[in-house]
Amino acid sequence: GEDVEQSLFLSVREGDSSVINCTYTDSSSTYLYWYKQEPGAGLQLLTYIFSNMDMKQDQRLTVLLNKKDKHLSLRIADTQTGDSAIYFCADLTGGGNKLTFGTGTQLKVEL
Amino acid sequence: GAGVSQSPSNKVTEKGKDVELRCDPISGHTALYWYRQRLGQGLEFLIYFQGNSAPDKSGLPSDRFSAERTGESVSTLTIQRTQQEDSAVYLCASSLGTARNNEQFFGPGTRLTVL
C-alpha cells in the first residue's frame, strides 16, 4: 500500500526558516497536502499542491514538489512561536477518495 | 454549526464493551470520512461515505468495526468488543464532494481509552 514518511522532530529558532520534508510512494498521487495539528485542536489544512505543479507559495508558506523523487517539502519563512505544532503531509490515494497521512513532524520554535 | 462536531470528546471503556462514536458533519457536505490516530502516529483511513454510494470500508481494521450514515448527515462509528489496541483518537472529516476537489474539514476527535 501507499507509504508516506516524515522525520519526527524539527527544532528552529524564532525568525528562522523551517523546512519540513516528506516522501511518498504512490506515483499516481494527484493532490498532496500539508495539515497542521495544534495540541487539543483538530487538523487544519494549511495548503495543498496539485501533482502537475513544482511549487506553490502562500504568504509565509512555500511548497515544493519533486514528483520524480516523490519528495514534498513545506518551508515556513520567519517561523514564529505560534507555528509550533505537528505538521502532517498527506496524499490523495485510493481513486481520489482517501488521504494517506505521514506520521507527522513535531515543529518546536525556540526563542 | 460552523464545523464538524464529534461526541463524546472522551470515552473510557472496559475491554470487551461496545462503544459508539458520533460525527455531525458540516451541513451540505456529502462526503464523510473516519480516521484513527494512534498516539504519536499519523492518521489511518477507516471508512468513507459519499452520498448514496456504497461506502468505502477498505480501511476498517476488523469486523468489530462498523459505521453507518443517515442520508447526508450524522454518522456513527461502532466498535464491538473493544480491545486495548483500539485506544486512539477517532477523527471525522467532511467535504463538499469527493476528496479530489474539496478540502476535508476535520472535527476535534473522540479520544477512546480502553482499559
Side-chain angles (χ1 to χ4, degrees), chain A residues 6-9 20 34-39 42-44 46 74 83-89 102-108, chain B residues 37 40-43:
Chain A
Q6 299 177 241
S7 53
L8 292 178
F9 191 75
I20 302 171
W34 284 103
Y35 281 85
K36 179 182 181 182
Q37 186 177 43
E38 294 178 274
L43 280 159
Q44 174 196 358
L46 283 179
L74 174 70
D83 295 324
S84 292
I86 301 176
Y87 290 80
F88 291 93
C89 66
T103 50
T105 300
Q106 171 94 49
L107 174 64
K108 182 179 177 184
Chain B
Q37 185 177 22
Q41 297 186 23
L43 280 69

Side-chain angles (χ1 to χ4, degrees), chain A residues 22-75:
Chain A
C22 172
T23 58
Y24 60 98
T25 58
D26 189 346
S27 57
S28 64
S29 295
T30 51
Y31 289 88
L32 295 117
Y33 302 82
W34 284 103
Y35 281 85
K36 179 182 181 182
Q37 186 177 43
E38 294 178 274
L43 280 159
Q44 174 196 358
L45 178 66
L46 283 179
T47 187
Y48 67 92
I49 189 167
F50 188 51
S51 60
N52 69 352
M53 297 169 66
D54 298 324
M55 185 181 86
K56 181 178 180 181
Q57 186 148 6
D58 184 0
Q59 299 182 333
R60 292 192 297 121
L61 305 178
T62 304
V63 179
L64 294 177
L65 175 61
N66 182 327
K67 198 172 179 182
K68 175 176 168 288
D69 293 339
K70 299 190 187 70
H71 182 268
L72 181 74
S73 68
L74 174 70
R75 178 177 180 269

